[in-house]
Amino acid sequence: MSNSLTVIILTYNEEKHITRCIQNLKRVSDNIIIIDSMSTDRTVEIATALGATVIQRPWPGNHSDQFNWALDNCNITTTWTMRMDCDEYLLDELIDEINTKLPQTKPETGGYIIKRRVIFMDKWMKRGGFYPHRLLRIWRTGTGRLEERAMDEHVVLEKGETAAFQHDMVDHNLNDLTWWTHKQNNYASREVKDLLDIERGTTSENNVDVSLSGEQSSRKRWIKEKIYSRIPLFVRPFIYFIYRYFIRLGFLDGGAGLVWHFLQGFWYRFLVDAKMYELKRNNRLKQG
C-alpha cells in the first residue's frame, strides 16, 4: 500500500455503505478524508471509528462546491488525490494495480482513468453502452478540480497526460428502489439546470473538453451539448432508450437490466424533459 494517496469522499447519511467503502480504500491509502454534510445517522461515528478524517460542512448545494472546498482546505500533502463516492469500491485486482503502478508513474502522467461498472439489483449492467464508464479518479495533487456544473461533474486535469488502469471500480448502491427513484428525481432537477446552461451558453469555463476526439467524458459531453440538447423535448428520451436498450443490446442484461435501462435510460430523461417543460411553461405564463 502506498501512503502517497489521499482519498476524498463526500457523505450524507451513508451508514449502509461507509464501512465497506473505508475498509476497501484503506488497502490503497492511509489518508481518507470524509466531507460530511451534517449526517443524521451513524455515518460520522462509523467513519471516525474506522480511522478516517471527518470534517462536517453544511451542503452548499452541489457536489462541485463541496469537493473543491475540500481540495482547497484539507491541506493535502500526498503526491496523489483520489475521488470516490461512498457507494463505490475497488476490485481486488484494481487495488493491486494501484499499489504497484502508482509509485512507478512517469513524470509526464498527471492522472489515471478508472473503469467503473454499475451493479443494479445485484446484477452488473454490462450492456446498453453503459460499460465501461471511464472516469478520471486519481490525479497529481493540485492539478485537478471538479467541474462547476449542476450535474454529471467530472474532474478536470489542468496539466499532464492521462493513463488508464486495466481493472475496475464498482458502483453498487445498497438502498432500495424507492430511495433510488427519489435520488433520480433530485438529479432530474439538477439536470434541468445543466441543460438550460447549455441552451443559454452559460456553462462554466472550468469543464472537460467538448470534443469527439478526446477521452470518453469529452465525447459524451459533445454528444450531450451538440446533439441530445437540440432534440425536441419528449422525443429524445424515446430515441435514447431505443438506442440503449435495443441497438446497444441492453435487453441482454435481463430483468434487472430492463428496470435499469427503462428507469435510468427513459423515465429519468422523460422526467427531466417534463420539469423543463413545466419551467418554460411557467415562465411564459409569467411573461404573458
Side-chain angles (χ1 to χ4, degrees), residues 174-191:
L174 302 175
N175 289 298
D176 62 19
L177 194 59
T178 299
W179 181 93
W180 187 88
T181 52
H182 177 70
K183 180 181 180 182
Q184 299 306 304
N185 182 42
N186 291 332
Y187 278 177
S189 297
R190 292 164 50 191
E191 184 80 25

Side-chain angles (χ1 to χ4, degrees), residues 11-17 36 38-43 175:
T11 62
Y12 177 71
N13 288 350
E14 290 285 1
E15 65 181 10
K16 282 189 178 181
H17 302 109
D36 182 77
M38 317 308 289
S39 289
T40 58
D41 65 359
R42 297 179 60 241
T43 299
N175 289 298

Side-chain angles (χ1 to χ4, degrees), residues 65-188:
D65 285 351
Q66 192 78 320
F67 194 87
N68 289 334
W69 180 90
L71 294 178
D72 293 335
N73 292 276
C74 289
N75 191 30
I76 301 171
T77 58
T78 54
T79 304
W80 300 93
T81 302
M82 182 179 193
R83 177 193 179 191
M84 286 288 286
D85 291 338
C86 208
D87 56 0
E88 297 172 337
Y89 60 89
L90 314 176
L91 292 182
D92 291 343
E93 296 86 352
L94 177 58
I95 290 171
D96 292 340
E97 192 176 11
I98 290 173
N99 288 332
T100 300
K101 292 183 178 179
L102 204 60
Q104 303 172 2
T105 304
K106 298 177 181 178
E108 60 268 24
T109 300
Y112 278 95
I113 303 290
I114 300 178
K115 295 180 296 180
R116 183 178 69 180
R117 63 174 71 171
V118 171
I119 306 296
F120 182 76
M121 292 185 169
D122 297 323
K123 183 176 176 60
W124 178 9
M125 297 294 105
K126 294 182 182 180
R127 301 169 182 88
F130 213 79
Y131 176 84
H133 194 184
R134 293 167 52 86
L135 299 165
L136 178 65
R137 284 302 188 91
I138 298 178
W139 62 95
R140 290 190 186 274
T141 298
T143 66
R145 294 183 72 79
L146 206 57
E147 291 179 293
E148 297 169 3
R149 298 183 74 100
M151 185 64 187
D152 194 28
E153 314 92 341
H154 294 280
V155 174
V156 178
L157 189 65
E158 297 173 357
K159 62 181 180 180
E161 302 173 356
T162 58
F165 288 121
Q166 178 181 353
H167 299 290
D168 295 0
M169 60 186 289
V170 179
D171 179 330
H172 185 187
N173 194 286
L174 302 175
N175 289 298
D176 62 19
L177 194 59
T178 299
W179 181 93
W180 187 88
T181 52
H182 177 70
K183 180 181 180 182
Q184 299 306 304
N185 182 42
N186 291 332
Y187 278 177

Side-chain angles (χ1 to χ4, degrees), residues 33-50:
I33 300 175
I34 305 291
I35 308 298
D36 182 77
S37 301
M38 317 308 289
S39 289
T40 58
D41 65 359
R42 297 179 60 241
T43 299
V44 172
E45 174 189 345
I46 296 170
T48 302
L50 290 171

Side-chain angles (χ1 to χ4, degrees), residues 12-34:
Y12 177 71
N13 288 350
E14 290 285 1
E15 65 181 10
K16 282 189 178 181
H17 302 109
I18 193 68
T19 299
R20 181 186 70 183
C21 182
I22 292 177
Q23 288 181 341
N24 177 258
L25 290 171
K26 286 177 75 173
R27 297 172 62 191
V28 296
S29 174
D30 283 333
N31 308 289
I32 299 173
I33 300 175
I34 305 291

